[in-house]
Amino acid sequence: MRVLLSGIVLGLLLLAVPFYVDYRFRLNVGRKMLVVIGRAMLAAGLLASAVYGGIALNSIVYDLALALLFCLCATYLTFVKAGMKPGHLFLPLLGGNVVAVAVVSAYALLFVVSAEKPFSPQLLLPFVGIISGGIIVSNARALDFFFVGLRNHGQLYYYILGNGGSHRQAVNYFVRRSLKAAVVSLLRRLSWLFFATAPVLFFGLVMAGTGVVTAAALQLLLFVMQLAASLLSIAFTLAVGRKCCFDEYERLKDNKVS
């Protein structure tokens, strides 16, 4: 299946419908629609150009650099979604994202997908993009639960210590809340997406020539991969990044818990 330039132009003519409704009923959202459509076209163009370059060059160096860029964007957007400043946590979360996406993508390409060239750009880049983008919301939720929990419930940390608990036991309480938040957030989103958005992915794969059974399997497996990647990323991030919240005497740093 191919979409020619003429088809793109004809498809964009459908925008006449929402713009007519905006004019007819004086909704005054035409400017917002133009901005959003412009951003969508820019994002789609940049992504398509990057992936097209990877396919044309067929260079593993280029593919890995682009995969790292995907992880960088996902890391930044996670902080934006969480309403937090990256600061000292940027590198731990980036490292967590890189490790999680690399492990899950490599496992999927080597053992799940049956392909002669599992690390070809046609497979590697879509897997990395979907997994890194799919864990943004759950990671943001997990970070918010951990650091906001420490900030708002710091007395609970000292209460656990005061009752004979170790530093690790006290911190692990907040880690468990964070991991649970990530799982619950992702499960809620995926349960909704499975009925609302997943059919788009399924039918898109079918239109691209993928078999029906393969399309259904990939649809389910991509959700499982996002769940695994999110937990790996958060576990790595908290294992490395949480140390900056405490001083050498294991006391909370108020200026770091934000």
Side-chain angles (χ1 to χ4, degrees):
M1 183 185 69
R2 296 178 59 189
V3 180
L4 302 176
L5 179 60
S6 58
I8 296 175
V9 174
L10 292 173
L12 290 176
L13 288 178
L14 291 173
L15 290 173
V17 175
F19 280 109
Y20 172 75
V21 172
D22 175 67
Y23 171 77
R24 176 66 178 77
F25 294 97
R26 296 183 176 86
L27 303 181
N28 298 321
V29 294
R31 185 185 299 273
K32 292 183 179 179
M33 284 194 292
L34 284 175
V35 172
V36 172
I37 293 169
R39 289 177 178 174
M41 293 176 65
L42 178 61
L46 291 174
L47 180 60
S49 300
V51 176
Y52 180 82
I55 296 174
L57 293 174
N58 195 23
S59 168
I60 188 63
V61 175
Y62 178 90
D63 295 343
L64 292 177
L66 189 57
L68 179 59
L69 180 60
F70 287 163
C71 290
L72 277 168
C73 293
T75 302
Y76 174 75
L77 292 175
T78 298
F79 286 109
V80 172
K81 186 68 178 178
M84 299 171 59
K85 295 181 180 180
H88 57 280
L89 283 175
F90 186 83
L91 288 180
L93 182 58
L94 176 61
N97 283 345
V98 170
V99 170
V101 172
V103 170
V104 174
S105 297
Y107 178 87
L109 292 172
L110 288 173
F111 303 109
V112 178
V113 178
S114 299
E116 295 181 0
K117 298 180 179 180
F119 293 104
S120 63
Q122 292 90 335
L123 291 174
L124 175 62
L125 296 179
F127 267 89
V128 171
I130 292 174
I131 295 173
S132 60
I135 64 177
I136 292 174
V137 176
S138 57
N139 283 8
R141 184 69 171 166
L143 289 179
D144 180 68
F145 258 70
F146 182 79
F147 291 100
V148 173
L150 280 177
R151 184 182 64 197
N152 295 336
H153 306 287
Q155 293 302 319
L156 178 59
Y157 167 77
Y158 291 114
Y159 175 80
I160 297 175
L161 292 180
N163 283 272
S166 65
H167 168 74
R168 183 174 182 178
Q169 289 174 327
V171 174
N172 279 348
Y173 169 81
F174 295 96
V175 172
R176 287 195 300 271
R177 292 182 73 248
S178 177
L179 293 174
K180 183 178 179 180
V183 173
V184 171
S185 173
L186 195 57
L187 290 180
R188 284 178 179 173
R189 189 164 57 89
L190 294 185
S191 64
W192 168 251
L193 290 177
F194 197 84
F195 296 100
T197 305
V200 177
L201 173 62
F202 172 77
F203 289 121
L205 289 170
V206 172
M207 286 192 296
T210 305
V212 174
V213 175
T214 301
L218 281 175
Q219 173 181 282
L220 175 62
L221 290 173
L222 284 171
F223 292 157
V224 174
M225 293 171 195
Q226 289 179 23
L227 180 59
S230 179
L231 291 179
L232 280 175
S233 175
I234 287 299
F236 181 96
T237 302
L238 295 183
V240 177
R242 70 187 187 187
K243 297 177 182 179
C244 62
C245 298
F246 307 91
D247 60 19
E248 62 272 21
Y249 301 105
E250 298 179 346
R251 295 176 303 189
L252 284 171
K253 293 181 179 178
D254 293 336
N255 62 324
K256 294 293 185 181
V257 183
S258 59

